[in-house]
Amino acid sequence: MLRIAMLASVAVLSTATMLNADSEQTYQTVVITDFGFFPLTTYVDPGEIVQFNNQADNARVISAIPFEDSQIVQWTSPSLEKGETFLIQVNADTVLEFTSSLAEEEQHGAFSFDEPPIEEAPDTTTSSGNN
C-alpha cells in the first residue's frame, strides 16, 4: 500500500506540477460550474499553466482520470470551495482527461495539445443579383 502511495506521489511530481498563483502571470482558465467544465476541452502547449476556478455552488475536487489498467490517480486538486482556484502545469506526460464528481454526477473535461478548431466566418460577399 505504501509503495502505491509513493508511486502516485512520484507520478504527480514528475508529470504534473501544481503551483502557487502568481498575480502577474496570466493563465488559461477552466471554470467549474454546476453543469460541468467550461471549456470542455482546453487547448494548451506543453508546459503551459492552467487555472481551475470553482464557480459551482458546492466544493469540488478535480482529478486526472486513471489509465484503464491502473488505480493510481496521477494528479488531483485539493477540495475547492466556490471561488477558489487550483493551478496545474500541463506537461507532455500529464494525463489529459480529468473529472469532478458530486454525489452520483460525474463531469469530464480534457486538455489537448492539438491546434484548436477554427470556425471560418460566413462569406458575406455574395452578390444580390441586382447588377
Side-chain angles (χ1 to χ4, degrees):
M1 186 70 155
L2 179 59
R3 182 171 184 214
I4 291 174
M6 290 175 61
L7 287 173
S9 297
V10 170
V12 167
L13 291 175
S14 65
T15 59
T17 306
M18 278 54 96
L19 306 164
N20 293 323
D22 179 352
S23 60
E24 295 189 20
Q25 185 166 356
T26 58
Y27 312 104
Q28 285 209 58
T29 299
V30 176
V31 177
I32 306 158
T33 72
D34 291 322
F35 305 103
F37 296 103
F38 182 80
L40 289 174
T41 303
T42 303
Y43 295 90
V44 296
D45 293 322
E48 193 166 349
I49 298 170
V50 175
Q51 179 182 62
F52 286 92
N53 183 330
N54 185 15
Q55 293 302 310
D57 289 333
N58 297 304
R60 298 295 171 96
V61 174
I62 313 305
S63 299
I65 296 175
F67 294 115
E68 289 181 20
D69 59 346
S70 173
Q71 295 296 321
I72 297 172
V73 176
Q74 185 192 59
W75 60 267
T76 190
S77 74
S79 180
L80 303 173
E81 296 294 330
K82 185 172 185 169
E84 291 185 323
T85 61
F86 167 72
L87 297 177
I88 183 168
Q89 184 174 21
V90 183
N91 300 309
D93 293 333
T94 301
V95 172
L96 302 179
E97 294 183 31
F98 49 87
T99 186
S100 173
S101 299
L102 179 65
E104 294 179 15
E105 182 180 339
E106 199 169 279
Q107 301 166 336
H108 294 271
F111 302 121
S112 175
F113 296 128
D114 294 338
E115 288 293 319
I118 298 174
E119 292 184 25
E120 293 188 28
D123 185 5
T124 60
T125 60
T126 58
S127 62
S128 63
N130 293 334
N131 297 17

